[in-house]
Amino acid sequence: MMSNETYTPPRVWTWVRGNGGKFANINRPIAGPTHDQELPRGQHPLQLYSLATPNGVKVTIMLEELLALGIAEAEYDAWLIRINEGDQFGSGFVEINPNSKIPAMLDTSLSPPLRLFESGSILLYLAEKFGAFLPRDARGRAECLNWLFWQVGSAPLLGGGFGHFYAYAPEKFQYPIDRYTMETKRQLDVLNRQLAQQRYVAGEEYSIADMAIWPWYGGVATNEVYAAAEFLEAHTYTHVLRWAQEIGQRPAVQRGRKVNRSWGEPDEQVPQRHSAKDLD
């Protein structure tokens, strides 16, 4: 049980297993696999191992957007990784991603297959591989990557900071909630000011920057992430809301957010995806 008393760190930290919080059963201070578990393989060139969290949804949206453009080579198999049950610590998954986080992907069109991990890296790889959703001119490309890496660098403060202490911590304490709420609102203001100037995050064209940012910040603004929209006064970020609602209406986004989803309404769940029929 946590205490309201001031905490004085010991000289050497000691791991206490099961120390509270929603994800206490899978959090640990060491890397590597906990068990032998091979990953399945499907028939398509791209093999995705993921879960429909904000990080996972980035990649399935990208893949569905590529397919919507008629790029058949972007066909993929999506396999469910149940992070609450520790699937990410299986030997097969760790071989692809030594950091044991979703999403992870194999491109089996190459020999040997090419491993990909970290959502931003996967988005950039797919954009370059298929020549889509990344501006080709130097200025546009740089601006898109600015915002892609902004999201990658900012999300730990939104998710691991605000999300943890506001939604998942076993007890609520004012200091960490205030600290991360202030930073979350600052980030929303950064995004709101950017979107006041243009239709999409990196300009007038939809890009991987939007795909990376929408599941997190769009989800917070529309109350789908952490159920914190009222607390954050999300309605005041009017340009973020306009953008979030527009992105959310894209058919490929609606399809992508269902993939590797195993909760919610039954018609919103497609735990595994092996063809377009699984979504139809």
Side-chain angles (χ1 to χ4, degrees), residues 4-280:
N4 287 320
E5 297 178 4
T6 300
Y7 173 66
T8 301
R11 290 180 63 86
V12 178
W13 181 80
T14 301
W15 177 30
V16 178
R17 293 175 181 266
N19 61 346
K22 183 174 181 179
F23 301 105
N25 65 314
I26 58 172
N27 290 336
R28 59 194 183 117
I30 54 176
T34 59
H35 59 282
D36 290 329
Q37 182 179 350
E38 293 186 8
L39 291 176
R41 293 272 188 99
Q43 63 177 338
H44 299 302
L46 299 174
Q47 299 293 303
L48 177 66
Y49 305 94
S50 192
L51 184 69
T53 66
N55 278 336
V57 162
K58 298 176 194 177
V59 176
T60 50
I61 287 175
M62 174 62 161
L63 290 166
E64 292 298 327
E65 292 280 14
L66 290 169
L67 292 171
L69 290 180
I71 302 175
E73 295 81 5
E75 264 296 352
Y76 68 104
D77 291 279
W79 305 92
L80 183 65
I81 299 296
R82 300 178 187 274
I83 61 174
N84 284 338
E85 298 178 17
D87 289 350
Q88 70 274 32
F89 300 118
S91 56
F93 191 91
V94 174
E95 186 175 348
I96 299 177
N97 185 358
N99 196 39
S100 293
K101 302 290 184 181
I102 61 94
M105 178 182 281
L106 283 176
D107 185 348
T108 65
S109 69
L110 303 177
S111 183
L114 176 70
R115 76 176 186 180
L116 295 155
F117 62 90
E118 292 296 328
S119 57
S121 175
I122 298 172
L123 289 179
L124 181 55
Y125 176 81
L126 292 173
E128 292 182 331
K129 179 180 178 72
F130 295 113
F133 303 114
L134 178 64
R136 296 185 181 183
D137 65 289
R139 190 176 300 275
R141 175 186 169 87
E143 184 68 1
C144 180
L145 295 184
N146 286 340
W147 287 101
L148 174 64
F149 290 114
W150 174 82
Q151 191 282 321
V152 171
S154 298
L157 294 171
L158 175 62
F162 175 77
H164 176 77
F165 288 107
Y166 180 80
Y168 301 139
E171 296 183 35
K172 309 295 189 216
F173 291 99
Q174 184 175 353
Y175 174 76
I177 292 176
D178 282 352
R179 168 68 181 86
Y180 288 107
T181 298
M182 179 163 45
E183 177 60 16
T184 296
K185 288 178 70 67
R186 189 192 69 80
Q187 291 177 13
L188 285 167
D189 193 40
V190 168
L191 189 59
N192 197 59
R193 290 168 184 266
Q194 178 71 2
L195 288 166
Q197 304 174 51
Q198 53 206 23
R199 182 177 180 184
Y200 297 111
V201 174
E204 295 304 313
E205 299 295 326
Y206 178 61
S207 72
I208 56 174
D210 299 288
M211 298 178 203
I213 296 169
W214 181 81
W216 281 106
Y217 296 87
V220 167
T222 56
N223 210 41
E224 295 183 22
V225 176
Y226 306 134
E230 181 180 8
F231 180 73
L232 294 168
E233 296 182 299
H235 66 280
T236 65
Y237 304 103
T238 55
H239 303 292
V240 173
L241 280 171
R242 182 269 306 163
W243 164 83
Q245 290 163 359
E246 180 178 351
I247 300 294
Q249 291 171 3
R250 294 179 67 89
V253 171
Q254 294 175 2
R255 292 170 69 84
R257 66 188 303 272
K258 296 179 183 180
V259 179
N260 293 145
R261 187 178 179 91
S262 58
W263 63 90
E265 296 299 322
D267 63 348
E268 291 288 311
Q269 299 182 38
V270 183
Q272 295 188 11
R273 186 259 189 224
H274 303 294
S275 74
K277 293 180 180 179
D278 293 329
L279 286 161
D280 297 334

